[in-house]
Amino acid sequence: LYRFRHDPERHGSEARSIPLQLQRLLATLQLSSSSAVSTRCLTEACGFSGRETREQHDLEEFCRVLFTALEESSKTLADGIDGMFGCTVTNVIRTREEHEGGYHDSRRPEQRFDIQVPVEGFKTLEDAMRSLLTEEMMDGDNQWFCEALDRKVDAVRFSTFEKTPTILCIHLSRFTFDYASMQRKKVSDIISIPEALDLSFLMSGCSESLDYQLYAVCLHSGTAHGGHYHAFVSDGETWYDANDSRVTRLDEQRRLNLFAKREDGSTTELRSTDAYYLFYRRCGGTQEIQARVSEQELPATLLEEFRQENKQVADLQRAYKFHQEMRSLCVYGPPAVYATLLGFADSALRDLSECRSAVEPPASITVQVNRRRGLHAILRQARDAVVAAANKGEEIWAWAKDLDQASSGSWTLRKFDAALGRPGALVSEASAEHLFGAHVSAGAAAVLLEPCGGGAGEDGVAAGEEVAAAGAACIVCRWDASRCRISLDRGNLRVLHLQSPDGAPIAQASPPVAAAQNAESDTPAFDPYSEDPPDLFGAEAGDSGKVSSAGPVSSPLLAALRAAAAAAFGLSGVARVALVALTGTRAGRALVDDHLTLSACGVNDRDIICVEELTDDRGVDCLASVRLYDEKRNTAKLSFNHPDRPQFTEEFGPVSISKDATVADLKAMLAGILELDLAKLHLCRHQTSPQFKEESATLRQVGLGELCSVFAGHGRPLAPNEIVVRFSLYKKDSKDSEGPKAKLDISIPASTSSSVRSLRQALEEPLVLWATDVGAKSGGVPPFPLEGLTWKRLRLRDGAAGKGFAILRDESKIKGPAFGDGRQVAVQVLDADEELKADDIILGIRPWRVCDGILHAATDVIIGRSKTLGDLLDVLNTRFKGMLETDEDVLEVVTLPSVGPPLSVKRCLTLKWSESRLTNPDAESLAKPLSEYKELRDGVVLVVRSGAAATRGAPAETAGEGKGTGKGPGKGPTAGPAQGGDLASQIAAKAAALAAGPTAKAAAKASARAERGLVIRVERPEGPKTSELVPAPREDTAARAGGVPEAPPPPVGSEASEEEDDAPKTPSSLPSMPVTPSVPSPRSSDGGHLAEGP
């Protein structure tokens, strides 16, 4: 292939020259310094485009069509492929006995580039290959027609190998088609594949060994519908795992795990369930080939092209490594301390402080720095960027305009919390690298650039002052008594740095640190690769990068914060300083326990503390800041209604009440406004929501603190062990067994310890009153008969969504899982008294008149579980005897599935009548109790029909469409097709049609896919098209890897008839191979990678 030279006049354009693009691809793999290469040029040269490049095809199929395309492209390549991969197999058909003095046979030599070997049922590769030599008898209907005898005779068919190739390709047939399940199937049998293989047993009369060495194994992991290819490849000494764009060397342990010694010790073997395509190289002799081809075989133009490309790749790799070390540094100036802190405090205290316009975010400059270059270079870049911004006239950076740009010793860097505006520790040489995250995607590091000698001053920490390791910071603001507001002005909003309560002073200052002295000198920068990564915050100033062992940070005392606040704001006397938390868990409360730490008081470092000076002796109970907080944030304003007018929530003005008040306090307030009896009033969120039963809970605890309205209703408040049950009226519908609900304005409080029976009894009186009132409004006609109505005629059903109106038993307790506060219950009014026993079940019966095409409404049948199936059938035959046509006629019964569309005559046709255990049972089944039939459960619907009518079927004139309505003939669908006939045969025909439909569609789709076989289109064919160079047509339709199902292949060299043996072997006679379903490749945007196939 390397000796191929492209000629535009003979081979066409370079883009469509398959040998040239394959040459380039293999040369790129051999010479390029890139870790992976694209196969796009080769796939486009083969004519693949669009969706074809993203489909996974069969590996063996691709090798075959690629070899054919290379042969057509160049005669030189055709000779090379034939000499390297071609093997000759002779298919022989010979008469079984002598005829007319001898044996007659037919021989057909066949050129193949691979050997197809069965897998199923074989343990070793040698056994599977020996099966290729098995003789097949041709007798009976499969006799062979002998032209010499001019008749059919018994014969034997077998194959012989005449020539073996230098490179032997073995295709393991792992994909078949299962005719029982009509699905593709992958054979995952384990087969032993030897590293050393002697094929002398294939050659007839071969007395010497014919040794081959395994050098590549292609594996397919997945199913017959799709999967993934990867390969193990050897260069003669080392094995590699080629998986998509990654090729990894197998160490000795992985190689031993991959290839184990055989039990007889003859050779090592690979035992695999995924091995699919094998490559063996012949050992010894003049035909042995080298594992690597010399670069000198390549055209000089390609060699120069790769040299330039490798140089570009090296430059890109250096640039990439440099980019990986670059990090973003967000530089702030001293004014940013107050600006950031003001933004944080303003967002947290907007309604408590004076009104101000939107706070501008602090100014910053982002620079890109190399994290490995040390503090000197980082500081110089930050300083240059700030001074450049100041020289441009930007007002926010004016403070840096007159500073000495040349003197780096007058600048320091400090870590900076850009969210809270809180300065952190000074950045030392040892901690500079660890400002940034380890990955390039880490966010920008924030630092504060300070000039030494000038300071942050009142905004925070003085310039050059080190924050102690054991300290903590608190955000404080001052109460402005003149404006009765919290002041966030400069000087009144600060961050105080405190110390732990171990006797250390409140503030600890260290001498200013010149973080970057002599930055312009030749002093070598800190090398982060020469020692272990230093601690970011452990190094103190002047320690030359030594790490200090500071202990864990502890919380300072509240007394320390009070003293620090008095000193910071110049207040006289610590005793007259009051501290009030404005955010956090203690928001709105004064902090008075000076002996506790801040964490013990519930204050963290993000909470804001208000400092207020006491002006009289009333103490902390009358602090103005506490009153303001209660007014703005601890007061709920709730609208409410009068119980007689629930729809009017704005009739009264909203009431203001503390969120810490109880529900009882709120109810007492509303009862006074509404002038109602407190004991006959209850509250809830909305009209349909549960009541507030725990009246001792605060409004914040019950969720009223964040609402804007509350509902007041008549009736005493419920006890904690009581619930409200809401009722609706259940009505039977002629179209369905489950009727709609009519809303009732009836709600009954019930104890959780009471039963459904007591609920029925309590419902009788309010239900009669409701029906009387509705009847009076509708002309004296109540919704149901009231005469003789007692609680025993009331049947309760679960009205919650998804419960299917399940019947509630008398013995059930209200506290069960079916009940909750505000639970919907549907009440069904019966025509007679009903008192269900624990053993009773209620069955809904739907009579279906087959001949008339009528499906009647449901009728309830109550029967005990201890009764037998015979008792149930006797009840049904008595109740529905009008449906029986003769004395010998019986009812057929089937259960209706709980899921599916509404029941109609059309659906009745599809019910499983023949499988029903309730139809025509034997004597043993009739004697079984109903409790042994799982399909007969409470509330199930049974469909019954006449057996004689079902056998006769529906007449043609009753054919129609629609659902059964129970309103007479012609209103619903018929029981069968318009032609009438036996109903059982009609159902069987419909089932057969439904079963055959998907199969027929699948077969049509498979046929359509088969016409789209994998084909490589050669632009300018040059090579020979003779039979000895073209693979013989294969009749197998075996399912490819991830492909469509095909028939099992015949043995190697098999033939169907003598006429087929003599057929011309041209490329046009090759069958088109089926295309596999599309399996998107993870790298298909550029045509895929080499290890992924086409």
Side-chain angles (χ1 to χ4, degrees):
L1 183 66
Y2 278 2
R3 288 194 294 269
F4 172 80
R5 297 297 182 265
H6 177 261
D7 185 355
E9 295 183 358
R10 296 175 56 194
H11 303 120
S13 64
E14 293 186 359
R16 289 303 307 273
S17 176
I18 297 175
L20 176 63
Q21 297 304 329
L22 185 60
Q23 181 188 76
R24 286 178 178 271
L25 180 61
L26 297 181
T28 305
L29 288 171
Q30 181 173 342
L31 302 177
S32 176
S33 58
S34 301
S35 60
V37 298
S38 171
T39 63
R40 182 172 184 174
C41 293
L42 177 61
T43 55
E44 290 181 351
C46 293
F48 303 145
S49 61
R51 186 172 63 91
E52 291 177 318
T53 62
R54 295 183 293 274
E55 290 179 351
Q56 187 183 75
H57 292 280
D58 178 50
L59 172 63
E60 185 271 341
E61 179 190 5
F62 172 71
C63 290
R64 179 168 50 81
V65 295
L66 178 61
F67 284 166
T68 303
L70 291 174
E71 288 178 328
E72 295 180 10
S73 300
S74 169
K75 186 178 184 305
T76 303
L77 289 177
D79 296 337
I81 292 174
D82 180 48
M84 184 178 297
F85 295 95
C87 65
T88 305
V89 179
T90 301
N91 300 314
V92 182
I93 299 179
R94 186 178 61 194
T95 57
R96 188 175 179 180
E97 300 174 354
E98 293 187 9
H99 294 275
E100 298 180 1
Y103 291 96
H104 299 269
D105 60 13
S106 171
R107 294 177 176 270
R108 188 190 69 171
E110 181 181 323
Q111 188 83 351
R112 287 187 173 272
F113 294 143
D114 60 33
I115 301 176
Q116 186 175 2
V117 178
V119 175
E120 195 167 9
F122 298 98
K123 294 184 178 180
T124 66
L125 179 63
E126 295 94 322
D127 293 341
M129 297 187 71
R130 285 189 177 94
S131 68
L132 303 178
L133 306 177
T134 304
E135 295 183 350
E136 179 186 355
M137 302 302 301
M138 302 179 66
D139 52 11
D141 295 336
N142 194 33
Q143 282 186 322
W144 173 54
F145 181 82
C146 179
E147 292 186 351
L149 301 176
D150 196 26
R151 59 188 174 89
K152 288 186 177 182
V153 295
D154 294 343
V156 178
R157 178 166 59 185
F158 57 92
S159 300
T160 61
F161 285 79
E162 306 295 339
K163 169 193 169 186
T164 57
T166 305
I167 300 296
L168 175 64
C169 302
I170 299 178
H171 168 219
L172 301 180
S173 299
R174 288 200 176 272
F175 300 97
T176 60
F177 187 76
D178 187 359
Y179 288 98
S181 61
M182 298 300 291
Q183 290 183 348
R184 298 182 289 272
K185 184 181 73 171
K186 178 179 178 180
V187 179
S188 298
D189 293 359
I190 298 178
I191 189 168
S192 169
I193 302 170
E195 269 197 283
L197 179 63
D198 183 5
L199 292 182
S200 57
F201 63 88
L202 285 182
M203 306 291 293
S204 58
C206 181
S207 58
E208 299 180 355
S209 61
L210 193 59
D211 296 328
Y212 281 83
Q213 186 71 25
L214 180 70
Y215 77 93
V217 182
C218 293
L219 301 97
H220 178 273
S221 57
T223 66
H225 302 277
H228 176 68
Y229 284 117
H230 75 104
F232 293 112
V233 187
S234 172
D235 61 0
E237 298 178 356
T238 307
W239 279 89
Y240 299 87
D241 182 6
N243 193 349
D244 281 350
S245 60
R246 293 184 179 273
V247 179
T248 56
R249 184 194 303 269
L250 298 186
D251 55 25
E252 187 62 24
Q253 185 59 44
R254 288 190 63 189
R255 188 188 182 284
L256 292 176
N257 294 338
L258 186 65
F259 293 97
K261 276 282 187 182
R262 277 190 169 176
E263 295 180 357
D264 56 5
S266 59
T267 181
T268 55
E269 64 177 359
L270 168 67
R271 296 176 57 83
S272 172
T273 61
D274 293 331
Y276 181 55
Y277 208 71
L278 314 177
F279 292 86
Y280 279 90
R281 181 187 295 117
R282 183 184 294 175
C283 301
T286 57
Q287 291 183 313
E288 183 176 4
I289 64 173
Q290 301 296 324
R292 189 177 182 88
V293 182
S294 172
E295 299 176 4
Q296 305 305 321
E297 298 286 346
L298 276 170
T301 55
L302 275 182
L303 288 175
E304 181 60 27
E305 180 182 331
F306 285 124
R307 291 192 187 97
Q308 296 296 329
E309 181 180 328
N310 289 339
K311 182 178 181 303
Q312 294 177 2
V313 171
D315 294 342
L316 289 175
Q317 289 175 343
R318 286 193 296 271
Y320 176 76
K321 290 180 180 179
F322 180 80
H323 171 72
Q324 290 294 99
E325 300 298 333
M326 299 301 291
R327 296 294 186 271
S328 296
L329 186 69
C330 197
V331 183
Y332 293 87
V337 177
Y338 172 71
T340 306
L341 184 61
L342 177 62
F344 173 76
D346 182 71
S347 62
L349 307 176
R350 180 167 294 275
D351 55 339
L352 301 178
S353 60
E354 61 272 23
C355 297
R356 62 174 67 241
S357 58
V359 178
E360 294 292 334
S364 64
I365 295 177
T366 302
V367 295
Q368 299 295 321
V369 299
N370 190 319
R371 69 187 184 108
R372 301 291 187 183
R373 295 189 61 187
L375 179 61
H376 295 166
I378 295 175
L379 180 58
R380 183 168 58 251
Q381 284 186 257
R383 179 203 62 191
D384 293 345
V386 170
V387 173
N391 292 334
K392 289 181 180 179
E394 298 183 17
E395 183 178 354
I396 194 67
W397 301 102
W399 57 272
K401 188 173 183 180
D402 298 331
L403 294 178
D404 184 10
Q405 181 178 355
S407 176
S408 300
S410 60
W411 298 78
T412 59
L413 283 180
R414 186 189 297 274
K415 284 184 65 66
F416 184 62
D417 188 341
L420 300 178
R422 185 175 298 172
L426 288 170
V427 180
S428 64
E429 185 71 61
S431 63
E433 178 187 355
H434 301 281
L435 277 171
F436 313 98
H439 196 266
V440 68
S441 61
V447 294
L448 186 66
L449 181 65
E450 300 176 334
C452 292
E458 59 184 359
D459 292 330
V461 180
E465 178 182 318
E466 183 61 276
V467 179
C474 292
I475 304 175
V476 295
C477 59
R478 189 173 181 182
W479 175 258
D480 190 344
S482 62
R483 291 182 291 181
C484 294
R485 287 281 178 176
I486 293 171
S487 176
L488 300 181
D489 293 337
R490 184 180 294 272
N492 289 335
L493 177 64
R494 307 195 52 160
V495 177
L496 301 182
H497 295 271
L498 309 174
Q499 298 301 309
S500 58
D502 56 357
I506 294 177
Q508 176 180 344
S510 58
V513 181
Q517 295 182 357
N518 302 324
E520 320 298 342
S521 66
D522 297 332
T523 303
F526 169 72
D527 183 7
Y529 298 100
S530 63
E531 59 188 55
D532 294 335
D535 185 10
L536 177 59
F537 301 104
E540 293 291 339
D543 287 345
S544 301
K546 294 182 180 180
V547 178
S548 66
S549 57
V553 177
S554 59
S555 178
L557 292 173
L558 183 62
L561 175 60
R562 197 182 305 274
F569 294 122
L571 302 179
S572 59
V574 177
R576 303 189 66 81
V577 175
L579 302 178
V580 178
L582 299 180
T583 59
T585 58
R586 296 294 303 275
R589 302 179 187 179
L591 306 177
V592 295
D593 299 321
D594 283 0
H595 63 283
L596 297 179
T597 62
L598 292 181
S599 60
C601 293
V603 178
N604 60 40
D605 60 348
R606 296 180 66 90
D607 292 341
I608 301 177
I609 308 299
C610 178
V611 180
E612 183 177 354
E613 185 178 10
L614 299 176
T615 58
D616 49 35
D617 298 331
R618 288 180 297 177
V620 297
D621 295 334
C622 299
L623 291 174
S625 56
V626 174
R627 291 198 304 270
L628 177 64
Y629 186 90
D630 285 339
E631 177 186 349
K632 296 293 185 180
R633 295 194 174 180
N634 201 36
T635 300
K637 295 184 178 181
L638 301 173
S639 301
F640 60 96
N641 63 283
H642 194 284
D644 295 335
R645 299 176 292 278
Q647 67 275 21
F648 299 108
T649 58
E650 299 180 358
E651 182 178 355
F652 305 91
V655 295
S656 298
I657 186 172
S658 173
K659 296 179 182 179
D660 295 325
T662 63
V663 176
D665 296 336
L666 175 61
K667 191 173 75 168
M669 180 184 296
L670 298 183
I673 298 174
L674 298 173
E675 299 180 354
L676 296 176
D677 185 0
L678 182 63
K680 297 182 180 180
L681 187 68
H682 67 265
L683 302 181
C684 51
R685 284 188 178 88
H686 308 287
Q687 187 174 2
T688 58
S689 60
Q691 295 184 18
F692 293 120
K693 302 175 185 178
E694 295 289 343
E695 295 190 348
S696 60
T698 64
L699 303 186
R700 197 188 305 273
Q701 291 173 338
V702 299
L704 279 177
E706 307 303 326
L707 297 181
C708 59
S709 63
V710 65
F711 179 81
H714 283 303
R716 65 174 179 83
L718 296 177
N721 65 335
E722 290 183 326
I723 63 172
V724 172
V725 182
R726 306 184 188 278
F727 290 92
S728 57
L729 186 62
Y730 179 89
K731 290 185 177 181
K732 283 272 188 173
D733 187 23
S734 60
K735 296 183 180 180
D736 206 334
S737 62
E738 296 179 359
K741 295 182 296 183
K743 187 175 181 181
L744 295 177
D745 191 15
I746 299 177
S747 299
I748 297 179
S751 173
T752 55
S753 61
S754 59
S755 64
V756 173
R757 175 188 290 265
S758 62
L759 197 61
R760 292 170 65 195
Q761 294 171 348
L763 178 62
E764 178 183 351
E765 182 179 352
L767 183 62
V768 172
L769 294 177
W770 175 82
T772 304
D773 183 57
V774 171
K777 294 179 180 178
S778 59
V781 180
F784 47 80
L786 298 179
E787 184 178 356
L789 180 63
T790 64
W791 66 270
K792 294 183 178 181
R793 295 189 181 183
L794 304 181
R795 179 189 293 173
L796 300 186
R797 296 175 177 266
D798 194 343
K803 296 299 182 179
F805 296 100
I807 297 174
L808 302 176
R809 299 290 184 144
D810 283 353
E811 62 272 11
S812 300
K813 297 295 183 181
I814 296 180
K815 66 178 180 181
F819 285 93
D821 205 13
R823 188 59 179 254
Q824 290 285 338
V825 174
V827 55
Q828 180 181 357
V829 182
L830 306 176
D831 298 332
D833 294 351
E834 176 183 88
E835 203 164 349
L836 296 178
K837 301 177 183 178
D839 186 56
D840 292 342
I841 59 175
I842 301 178
L843 305 175
I845 311 299
R846 298 294 302 272
W848 174 31
R849 293 188 178 271
V850 178
C851 296
D852 299 332
I854 298 175
L855 183 63
H856 292 280
T859 301
D860 292 337
V861 171
I862 301 175
I863 190 170
R865 289 187 177 89
S866 59
K867 298 291 185 180
T868 65
L869 178 60
D871 297 333
L872 174 60
L873 295 180
D874 290 341
V875 172
L876 296 181
N877 285 321
T878 303
R879 178 77 67 89
F880 304 104
K881 62 181 179 180
M883 297 179 59
L884 303 177
E885 299 183 356
T886 63
D887 295 339
E888 292 78 14
D889 193 7
V890 294
L891 289 178
E892 295 183 354
V893 185
V894 69
T895 57
L896 178 67
S898 58
V899 296
L903 184 62
S904 63
V905 173
K906 181 180 291 187
R907 190 183 179 194
C908 287
L909 287 169
T910 64
L911 297 179
K912 299 180 180 180
W913 295 95
S914 60
E915 302 177 12
S916 175
R917 297 195 297 169
L918 309 180
T919 300
N920 297 324
D922 54 21
E924 183 181 354
S925 300
L926 287 172
K928 289 183 179 180
L930 300 181
S931 57
E932 296 187 15
Y933 291 87
K934 295 182 179 180
E935 61 265 35
L936 295 179
R937 58 190 181 277
D938 199 24
V940 74
V941 177
L942 303 180
V943 183
V944 297
R945 70 180 182 184
S946 166
T951 303
R952 187 171 61 255
E957 59 269 13
T958 62
E961 294 293 338
K963 296 182 180 180
T965 62
K967 297 181 181 180
K971 299 297 182 181
T974 64
Q979 301 301 323
D982 179 38
L983 181 63
S985 60
Q986 296 169 16
I987 296 175
K990 175 175 288 226
L994 291 174
T999 306
K1001 291 181 179 178
K1005 290 182 178 179
S1007 175
R1009 286 195 298 265
E1011 296 176 1
R1012 296 187 289 113
L1014 179 62
V1015 177
I1016 293 180
R1017 294 175 288 275
V1018 180
E1019 187 179 49
R1020 294 192 183 184
E1022 176 193 318
K1025 299 183 181 180
T1026 58
S1027 60
E1028 63 271 10
L1029 289 179
V1030 179
R1034 295 170 56 174
E1035 299 173 1
D1036 67 288
T1037 49
R1040 302 303 184 194
V1044 296
E1046 302 172 358
V1052 174
S1054 63
E1055 54 188 283
S1057 64
E1058 183 65 18
E1059 290 81 353
E1060 182 180 335
D1061 294 342
D1062 299 332
K1065 308 303 182 296
T1066 63
S1068 60
S1069 65
L1070 286 173
S1072 60
M1073 303 303 295
V1075 176
T1076 66
S1078 177
V1079 181
S1081 168
R1083 299 175 180 84
S1084 59
S1085 60
D1086 61 349
H1089 288 283
L1090 181 64
E1092 299 175 22

